[in-house]
Amino acid sequence: MAKLDQVLYTANAHTTGGRDGASRTDDGRLDVKLSSPGSSGTGTNPEQLFAAGYSACFIGAMKAVAGMQKISLPADLFIDASVDLGKVGQGYGIAARLNVSLPGMDRAAAQALVDAAHQVCPYSNATRGNIDVTITLI
């Protein structure tokens, strides 16, 4: 397990009720109702939050790598993220897919950037070897 050399930021959330409850951060910037996937509830679910968090973090990693390599990223880049919830034996697990769009970039350069970002992204590092993650340049 990799230990942090230095803490740069700590997020704190207070959650009640589990998948059919609510969660709020200590600064009040996130205040969401939660609903189980496939239920009639009106809230979001942990898998949606994970998809949003992973894709946002991965874009940040691509920006960091691009800055180090002194290359420009397209203004209209995006990631479509999917997180699957499923059975694993008697328990449950997740899998993630990131479809990365870097329009106008040379394909080889874009793939090299995505590969480098996958090495520095905190979500990629947290999930590596733990869940199935597929990252595809589209």
Side-chain angles (χ1 to χ4, degrees):
M1 169 177 35
K3 297 213 179 228
L4 298 178
D5 294 329
Q6 177 186 8
V7 174
L8 301 175
Y9 173 77
T10 300
N12 299 298
H14 178 80
T15 304
T16 58
R19 286 182 172 274
D20 294 302
S23 191
R24 184 175 194 280
T25 56
D26 61 347
D27 63 6
R29 291 182 181 189
L30 178 72
D31 190 353
V32 296
K33 291 179 184 177
L34 300 169
S35 299
S36 294
S39 73
S40 61
T42 59
T44 188
N45 62 62
E47 291 72 30
Q48 291 171 324
L49 294 169
F50 190 80
Y54 196 170
S55 56
C57 188
F58 200 87
I59 289 173
M62 289 192 304
K63 288 180 178 182
V65 169
M68 288 185 281
Q69 295 179 354
K70 296 183 178 13
I71 60 174
S72 296
L73 291 176
D76 54 349
L77 72 88
F78 67 86
I79 295 177
D80 287 329
S82 300
V83 173
D84 302 316
L85 171 67
K87 295 285 286 177
V88 177
Q90 297 298 313
Y92 296 90
I94 61 171
R97 294 182 307 284
L98 302 180
N99 290 318
V100 181
S101 176
L102 295 164
M105 278 190 76
D106 171 76
R107 183 133 186 112
Q111 187 63 59
L113 176 78
V114 167
D115 293 344
H118 189 41
Q119 295 307 307
V120 301
C121 175
Y123 275 66
S124 291
N125 288 330
T127 59
R128 189 172 290 111
N130 296 310
I131 69 168
D132 184 26
V133 173
T134 303
I135 302 176
T136 305
L137 180 62
I138 57 171

